Amino acid sequence: MTTVPPEELPPPPTPSRPNSARFKLKVERADERFSSAEAASLLREQRASGQRRRSVKKGDVDSAAAAVLLAGWLENNRQL
């Protein structure tokens, strides 16, 4: 493992310097306001139909919301 002296590291992210600037990455923003509600609805439907047996926990909703966001991004960025 190679160690880098602290003075050579980029400065940590701050509100005025986000990670995208620190690492020179393209950042796309997503509207997350309805992803949890959509995920909870999908999980309730799965439970009602018998596709899901155990109860729905908050972590399940968070994971499903992340999947909803990713699916939306993939759909919007599909290149044919």
Side-chain angles (χ1 to χ4, degrees):
M1 184 165 130
T2 306
T3 56
V4 178
E7 61 273 3
E8 291 182 21
L9 291 172
T14 63
S16 62
R17 183 179 168 81
N19 276 329
S20 59
R22 181 178 183 202
F23 294 108
K24 297 181 177 75
L25 297 173
K26 179 182 175 189
V27 174
E28 292 190 30
R29 303 206 179 263
D31 184 359
E32 299 181 34
R33 291 179 288 187
F34 301 109
S35 62
S36 293
E38 184 177 345
S41 175
L42 290 170
L43 292 172
R44 277 193 304 274
E45 288 174 16
Q46 288 177 352
R47 179 120 165 126
S49 70
Q51 291 177 323
R52 180 180 186 83
R53 293 186 180 176
R54 66 181 181 87
S55 63
V56 176
K57 297 184 173 111
K58 178 163 179 13
D60 299 330
V61 175
D62 291 342
S63 295
V68 166
L69 287 171
L70 177 59
W73 185 89
L74 290 172
E75 186 175 313
N76 291 333
N77 292 286
R78 181 182 297 160
Q79 296 177 2
L80 298 176

